[in-house]
Amino acid sequence: MSHEIIKAIYRTEDGRILVEHAANNLLPHTFRCEEYESLTRVLRTEGLRRLDEEILRLYFLRCWQGAGRYARAVETAIAVEHLNIYDEWARCRDEEGYARSAMAHIARKYLEPLDL
């Protein structure tokens, strides 16, 4: 299954979200840094907390993979809460309300705060 390898996520001074990423199924991995307009829109319209939840969702659904605080939060939640991951993936993929609630819970309980 194809996914994006995430190297870094940046927030610019003007509020854009840039992601340094590469496709996992193309070798050699060529990382590029691009704006993710959907994430920029979430940040500008719904705020930083909602942005964190949306990024967690991308990691939870395995669209994105890599190291970092979001990946750690998802993996910790799965391990600590003994989640039936296949059922949770299907439900989060199919039910937007459930996905938002689940990611808000992971963000509150497991996402490490940024040291700004």
Side-chain angles (χ1 to χ4, degrees), residues 22-74:
N24 77 310
N25 55 353
L26 298 176
L27 295 175
H29 294 145
T30 303
F31 287 88
R32 59 192 183 284
C33 193
E34 299 177 311
E35 179 180 5
Y36 265 64
E37 292 178 9
S38 62
L39 295 178
T40 295
R41 189 170 32 262
V42 168
L43 176 62
R44 289 179 176 168
T45 60
E46 300 181 61
L48 189 54
R49 178 172 290 158
R50 180 70 186 102
L51 174 66
D52 282 342
E53 294 166 6
E54 187 60 22
I55 293 171
L56 283 168
R57 186 182 68 80
L58 291 167
Y59 277 97
F60 189 82
L61 294 175
R62 302 293 195 243
C63 299
W64 284 9
Q65 293 186 14
R69 62 192 282 266
Y70 296 102
R72 277 191 304 275
V74 167

